[in-house]
Amino acid sequence: MKKPSFFLLLAVFLSLIIPLRRVQSAAPSPYDLISMVNDLRMNNGLPAMETDGALMSAAQMQSDYLASEYGTNFPSWDMGHVGAGGTAAIDRAAAMGYFVGPGWNVLENWAGGNNSIPLSEIVYSFWNDDAHMGNMLHPDVVHVGAGVTEGDGFVYYIIDFAVQYGSGGSSSGGVASTVPTTAVTPKIAPVTVVTPNEDGSIIHEVEIGQTLWSIAVAYEVTVDQLLALNNLSANAVIYEGQTLFVQPAYTPTPSPTATQTPRPPTRTPVPAGTAQVVKTPSLNSEDSSNGFLGFDRQTMGLALILVSGIGLVLIVFGTMAKDKKTNPPQ
């Protein structure tokens, strides 16, 4: 019996110690996703949805955006529906050429996960709730579009449903996209900015082909601001001839009430004293205001007091001398 060769034994040994590389299957295509959702609808007695080129492009644009914006850090449930520039699904569909008139809307499901997750788990497990199932099984869905983007082993799935309420799934009376599936040219109606009114308000009249997104971009506001100003829901549909408030009227700022502050009492000005003219003493004897012989009154007074004092002293000494003569000492 021939013994196994050394190289055969080595190959068997290496195959046992070195794990085989896991081969990951490629992510399913957008059409695989639509096919599986149509199977779900038919199993529930609903007609299959018709694929639309503009909706395919809008859905692919959103899956690409989520993959580039979030990567492996998946966004929250609500943020997964927000596209570039704050757009909603209906805005993106209209931008890609899908016309939505009164009574139309675009619903959307999104999911993200590892590329090893089966597509059936996305449809039947991830979307197994009232909101997502309600979109997939909506009786008034007319057209559908899907997008799938893979990167770094993770996949984003988007599927958009164009709904014409009350149609029962029939597109009669509605306007679908005429853009071919292979190439999509955006059909965005230009928005002409209107002049503000005297009160500062701006009211825009919607024209055919315009969307909330394109109007918001033209006026440099956000879609959320337009929704709030016009009391519209997140999935609101605008139509030709509709008027939208873009900017409210200015609110006059109340002028502050003037408070009468009592003024402090005004001081009575004291008149400046009149400069006194100083007269130079004159030796003119006839000037009575300068005293006698030119001496002022103060000098004259002092002189009189001095003379009176001398006179009093003389009188006292004279009296004492007289007493000595009259009454000589004994």
Side-chain angles (χ1 to χ4, degrees), residues 185-203:
T185 302
K187 296 180 180 179
I188 305 175
V191 177
T192 302
V193 177
V194 301
T195 304
N197 297 322
E198 292 183 359
D199 59 359
S201 63
I202 299 177
I203 302 176

Side-chain angles (χ1 to χ4, degrees), residues 17-328:
I17 64 173
I18 300 176
L20 293 175
R21 181 179 179 183
R22 184 178 179 181
V23 179
Q24 294 180 337
S25 59
S29 71
Y31 293 99
D32 293 332
L33 177 57
I34 293 174
S35 178
M36 184 165 289
V37 175
N38 271 332
D39 289 341
L40 172 67
R41 288 177 61 84
M42 289 186 292
N43 290 336
N44 285 270
L46 295 170
M49 301 170 293
E50 180 183 348
T51 303
D52 180 83
L55 291 179
M56 293 292 292
S57 296
Q60 188 63 51
M61 178 174 62
Q62 180 64 1
S63 64
D64 290 344
Y65 170 76
L66 294 180
S68 63
E69 182 73 12
Y70 297 100
T72 58
N73 299 318
F74 297 114
S76 60
W77 177 83
D78 55 337
M79 290 304 297
H81 295 290
V82 180
T87 56
I90 192 170
D91 300 321
R92 296 187 292 271
M96 290 296 103
Y98 191 91
F99 175 71
V100 284
W104 284 73
N105 199 1
V106 177
L107 309 177
E108 185 176 75
N109 285 7
W110 83 271
N114 193 288
N115 61 1
S116 63
I117 299 175
L119 184 59
S120 59
E121 187 172 346
I122 299 294
V123 175
Y124 292 97
S125 180
F126 283 23
W127 292 341
N128 187 24
D129 59 84
D130 292 340
H132 293 94
M133 276 292 174
N135 291 343
M136 293 187 292
L137 299 178
H138 201 293
D140 296 329
V141 174
V142 176
H143 301 105
V144 68
V148 177
T149 303
E150 182 180 11
D152 297 328
F154 288 83
V155 185
Y156 282 90
Y157 301 91
I158 295 288
I159 186 166
D160 289 337
F161 309 94
V163 175
Q164 184 184 19
Y165 296 106
S167 67
S170 172
S171 60
S172 61
V175 180
S177 165
T178 58
V179 182
T181 304
T182 56
V184 175
T185 302
K187 296 180 180 179
I188 305 175
V191 177
T192 302
V193 177
V194 301
T195 304
N197 297 322
E198 292 183 359
D199 59 359
S201 63
I202 299 177
I203 302 176
H204 179 82
E205 183 174 344
V206 180
E207 298 179 6
I208 187 170
Q210 293 180 350
T211 66
L212 286 172
W213 172 73
S214 61
I215 295 172
V217 171
Y219 286 97
E220 298 183 353
V221 297
T222 65
V223 174
D224 289 339
Q225 288 174 324
L226 291 179
L227 295 176
L229 282 174
N230 296 277
N231 296 321
L232 299 175
S233 62
N235 293 323
V237 178
I238 60 174
Y239 51 88
E240 182 184 5
Q242 181 180 2
T243 55
L244 296 175
F245 281 99
V246 178
Q247 177 174 289
Y250 295 136
T251 302
T253 305
S255 301
T257 304
T259 304
Q260 297 294 334
T261 304
R263 296 179 61 185
T266 304
R267 297 178 59 185
T268 303
V270 178
T274 304
Q276 300 293 325
V277 178
V278 180
K279 294 183 178 181
T280 302
S282 175
L283 296 178
N284 188 357
S285 59
E286 295 179 356
D287 188 356
S288 60
S289 61
N290 288 331
F292 181 71
L293 296 177
F295 295 102
D296 58 16
R297 293 179 179 180
Q298 183 176 4
T299 304
M300 291 293 294
L302 291 175
L304 291 175
I305 292 173
L306 181 60
V307 170
S308 298
I310 294 173
L312 180 60
V313 170
L314 292 175
I315 292 173
V316 171
F317 277 101
T319 303
M320 290 176 61
K322 186 177 180 179
D323 288 341
K324 287 181 179 181
K325 292 180 180 182
T326 306
N327 300 308

